[in-house]
Amino acid sequence: MRRIEPSMHAPSFRAVPEPTKALTHCLHCRAELGVGSVGSFCCRGCEAVHALLHDQGLDRYYALGGGTGHPAANLAESDRKWLETTAARLASSTGVARVTLDVQGVHCSACVWLFEELFRRKQGGCAIVVNPGIGCVDLTVTPEFPLDGFVSEVEAFGYRFGPALKKQKAGDSDLVWRMGVCIAIAMNTMLFGIAVYCGLESGPVHRLFHALDFGLSLISVTVGGTVFFRSAWQAVRRRVLHLDLPIALGILLAFASSTYTYVTRGGDRSYFDTLDIFIALMLVGRFLQERVLAKNRAFLLASDGVEGLFTRRVGREGHVSLVRCTEVSEGDELLVGHGDLVPVDAVLVSDAPSVFSLDWINGESAPRSFAPGDVVPAGAFSQDARAVAVRAKTDFDASTITALLATSSRREDDVARATPYWRRLTSLYVLVVLGVASLGAAAWFLATHDAARTLDVVAAVLIVTCPCAFGIATPLAYELAQAGLRRQGLFVRTPGFLDRAALVERIVFDKTGTLTTGSLALRDESVLDALELSARAILADLALRSSHPKSRAVATALGRRGATIDPSRVVREVAGKGLEAVVDGRVYRLGAPAWATAPAKVAALTKADVLFTRDGEVLAALETREQLREDAKREIGELTRAGYEAFILSGDSPEATRAIAAHCGVPDERAFGARTAEGKLAWLRTKGAAKTLFVGDGINDSLVAEEASCAGTPAIDRPFMAARCDFYFVTPGLLPIRAALLTSRRLQSVVRTNLTIAIAYNAVTVALALAGLMTPLLCAVLMPVSSLSTVLATTFRIRRSWKS
């Protein structure tokens, strides 16, 4: 277990003594522990996970995990309508069936064991295969298997299931075997090369070794080189000069020149062994570059946009069927249960007011009550305990959320080191290498008129200038940086994020769910302590029976005081108003002030937004507030001191936005409220998206997230936002954002060191090549030495930055 000590300069992972023995049980915990934590855990998610594991006899989970892991995210209640069709197919099958599901949150052998153990306890389960590599689960079950129960039980531990949408990319799936083949070839050609370098100069064995060198190099270029040929060609087609271009050119030209030497002179001046080593090293670098990103993407569910949304439609005879939201037409009657999405603008046709949350579409922190006949906007989520009926005003194609959920490939097509700086560097590198090789060829031919000798010099120049330091050391630096951020709870999804993050000057935060936790809390809990014990018990009965955010705020405060529910007490919920109970002939109410007491008394309670009353007498006037993330104020201050401009861009009211800004130390002129999704996008375009990092969580943030140079989200309960962002984080606080920005700065410093080493190496080796002193043996020694020294320097500097 580690406690994270924040640093102004780089992520820090300094181990400290563990406060209590109970910390060893908190496998999911990597956030800061100790003073101010929830008991002995970093968050209530971790505490709840531990309690569930312990109660069900699953403590071996911690032993398998080795005592380290990831924070348990506090996910919203799962919408499992997608599972109903799968469960129905399973129930109607006649024999053993196979069910494939995507899963979010699998990261180690302990997770796999937990899935297998829970599966083993269910009747009808034949076999389970958990694939953490791409985040999916294959179940072989009989119709008796309780699929919904298994999903619910696993999700109680902080995981999340979804339909099978993840597919491993072809490049990801074949990179490992290509790397293995090329490493094996490199090892064999080194053996053949050593024999030649040690004095084998003629004879059939000499010719055989050169023939084998040529044949194995041809395979290496075909198997491994095509990875870089394909990547360079795709980049050129997108008009991007990527570092794979000089690597591809180096491989191609070096192989061509060595092949020509082999055909014309039997291979005495060929560089096949060095080329094979180079290709193997480049593939290792590519594997390091992609490994962490692949893990981070597999950790979350995949987004299929609007195709993944389901709703319940009421037929003409009252029959309710589950349909995709894309099938909703104007006039359809929909049945919306608690937590369900309203897919289109719809008229509330139920006979009582209903409460809907709008935070996903406009950032309003408090739910809003709608009366029968009111229009509920698309993107609202029902907060009523009962199902309510609405009538669609438009077809789904005309819904405002279709554009917000449209899947974009912009970030999915992202590549590392594709910023203007890297494009200029790549262009200059290619031009210099080709120019030096051309000038060297011209000079040697004019001086000697020896075409063979001239070709030897050109081949040597092309081999020694292959960018080894960048091909393996730089990807290693990125891999180490991304692995360090994972320890902070931030997961990078796109290859180019750390390059773009180094250019960021402005950070724009959404408010609800980003700077705040998305939940409410009581501003002053001492009001509860002033209540008589009998009255507090009745208040607990009211608050604990409601899912309304304000009731949950009261219930959370009472829970810390040991409050429980009396099952025999009858509580009535009045939609949009509050809760009511009659005890000993007296009426107790918890809810909206105008409903709980007389209007004259409400006027005197200017700040209270929730009242607890007895026969209209106010027993407790409660004020709720948005609950800020624990370190929001501190982190915004640290970012400002580090030279970044902080802004707040919210769909909530200007007053609520300015209040949060004032608390976090953001000036009023940098706090903007009442912005729609389109309004946020227009604001960003006015300010400039090129050097902006946006952090948000709602679907109303999707347009601005895609436009910004960099984007991140804490929202992993639904895949829509994460699929549009460069990174996501799962910690209770905002520290990972600062860690990512400062890591990107430190990474650029490391890369500049790599560039310096590469320039120095090339200056020496190119001078030797142009002087005619470079030999295949010398090149075979110098290239690994250069790569090893750069790798060691990179590893040392990155790891030292973790401790600084």
Side-chain angles (χ1 to χ4, degrees), residues 21 47 70 128 143 165 239 436-437 445 455 464 526 539 647 651 707 737 784:
K21 185 178 179 181
E47 187 177 32
H70 299 282
I128 179 173
L165 300 174
R239 299 183 179 180
V436 169
F445 186 75
L455 184 60
V464 299
S526 64
L539 175 59
F647 291 78
E707 182 77 10
I737 297 173

Side-chain angles (χ1 to χ4, degrees), residues 176-195:
V176 173
W177 75 262
R178 289 178 186 271
M179 182 175 63
V181 169
C182 290
I183 290 174
I185 289 174
M187 294 172 65
N188 282 282
T189 55
M190 287 171 64
L191 292 175
F192 301 148
I194 288 173

Side-chain angles (χ1 to χ4, degrees), residues 407-626:
T407 303
S408 168
S409 62
R410 176 195 164 200
R411 302 206 185 269
E412 300 304 318
D413 294 338
D414 184 47
V415 292
R417 297 177 291 283
T419 59
Y421 166 79
W422 282 103
R423 294 177 189 176
R424 290 192 298 270
L425 179 62
T426 302
S427 301
L428 180 63
Y429 188 92
V430 172
L431 290 174
V432 169
V433 168
L434 295 180
V436 169
S438 300
L439 290 174
W444 268 89
F445 186 75
L446 290 174
T448 65
H449 298 286
D450 185 343
R453 185 60 174 151
T454 299
L455 184 60
D456 289 342
V457 171
V458 173
V461 170
L462 294 175
I463 285 290
V464 299
T465 54
C466 285
C468 243
F470 284 112
I472 186 169
T474 299
L476 174 62
Y478 279 70
E479 194 270 350
L480 290 173
Q482 291 161 357
L485 291 175
R486 281 174 64 97
R487 299 179 187 183
Q488 291 274 35
L490 184 143
F491 298 75
V492 179
R493 293 187 65 256
T494 58
F497 165 65
L498 290 174
D499 299 316
R500 286 180 271 110
L503 306 175
V504 165
E505 297 176 355
R506 178 189 306 114
I507 307 169
V508 180
F509 292 96
D510 174 47
K511 181 180 71 68
T512 306
T514 304
L515 290 178
T516 69
T517 62
S519 59
L520 299 176
L522 293 184
R523 188 173 296 276
D524 181 10
E525 295 186 5
S526 64
V527 177
L528 303 178
D529 298 324
L531 290 171
E532 297 177 357
L533 290 180
S534 58
R536 192 190 305 171
I538 296 172
L539 175 59
D541 266 332
L542 296 172
L544 291 169
R545 295 173 192 266
S546 173
S547 60
H548 192 283
K550 293 185 178 182
S551 295
R552 288 203 298 267
V554 178
T556 300
L558 289 170
R560 287 192 283 267
R561 291 160 172 78
T564 58
I565 287 180
D566 180 356
S568 64
R569 187 163 288 154
V570 177
V571 175
R572 181 174 71 96
E573 183 168 4
V574 181
K577 295 181 179 180
L579 300 109
E580 181 181 84
V582 179
V583 180
D584 297 330
R586 310 193 73 174
V587 178
Y588 290 83
R589 287 181 174 179
L590 173 67
W595 171 75
T597 190
K601 295 181 180 180
V602 173
L605 303 169
T606 55
K607 293 185 177 181
D609 56 340
V610 179
L611 296 183
F612 175 47
T613 64
R614 179 176 57 205
D615 294 335
E617 175 193 356
V618 178
L619 300 180
L622 306 169
E623 182 185 357
T624 61
R625 59 173 175 83
E626 290 185 80

Side-chain angles (χ1 to χ4, degrees), residues 171-366:
D172 298 336
S173 60
D174 66 5
L175 183 59
V176 173
W177 75 262
R178 289 178 186 271
M179 182 175 63
V181 169
C182 290
I183 290 174
I185 289 174
M187 294 172 65
N188 282 282
T189 55
M190 287 171 64
L191 292 175
F192 301 148
I194 288 173
V196 174
Y197 299 144
C198 289
L200 187 64
E201 297 180 352
S202 61
V205 176
H206 177 268
R207 291 192 296 273
L208 174 63
F209 279 7
H210 277 302
L212 289 172
D213 269 347
F214 168 73
L216 290 174
S217 293
L218 178 61
I219 296 173
S220 182
V221 171
T222 303
V223 172
T226 50
V227 172
F228 302 98
F229 299 153
R230 182 172 57 238
S231 175
W233 174 244
Q234 291 173 350
V236 170
R237 287 183 62 185
R238 294 197 299 267
R239 299 183 179 180
V240 174
L241 290 177
H242 191 259
L243 194 61
D244 283 348
L245 179 60
I247 293 175
L249 285 174
I251 293 173
L252 188 61
L253 295 175
F255 180 73
S257 62
S258 294
T259 299
Y260 181 79
T261 300
Y262 168 71
V263 172
T264 57
R265 288 187 291 160
D268 288 339
R269 299 286 298 183
S270 296
Y271 291 83
F272 289 128
D273 54 343
T274 306
L275 179 61
D276 294 342
I277 296 171
F278 173 75
I279 293 174
L281 290 176
M282 294 304 98
L283 289 175
V284 170
R286 177 57 52 88
F287 173 74
L288 292 174
Q289 177 179 312
E290 295 183 356
R291 181 180 60 172
V292 173
L293 296 176
K295 286 183 178 180
N296 293 349
R297 292 190 181 197
F299 189 82
L300 295 184
L301 295 177
S303 171
D304 58 349
V306 296
E307 292 296 324
L309 298 177
F310 291 85
T311 190
R312 290 184 172 85
R313 184 168 59 190
V314 181
R316 293 181 179 178
E317 299 179 358
H319 176 70
V320 178
S321 59
L322 186 68
V323 299
R324 293 186 183 274
C325 290
T326 52
E327 300 176 25
V328 172
S329 301
E330 181 181 356
D332 283 352
E333 184 174 333
L334 309 176
L335 195 63
V336 183
H338 175 74
D340 284 354
L341 172 75
V342 180
V344 298
D345 290 348
V347 177
L348 181 64
V349 297
S350 293
D351 56 0
S354 296
V355 178
F356 292 85
S357 172
L358 307 182
D359 67 321
W360 204 44
I361 53 175
N362 66 9
E364 286 187 25
S365 54

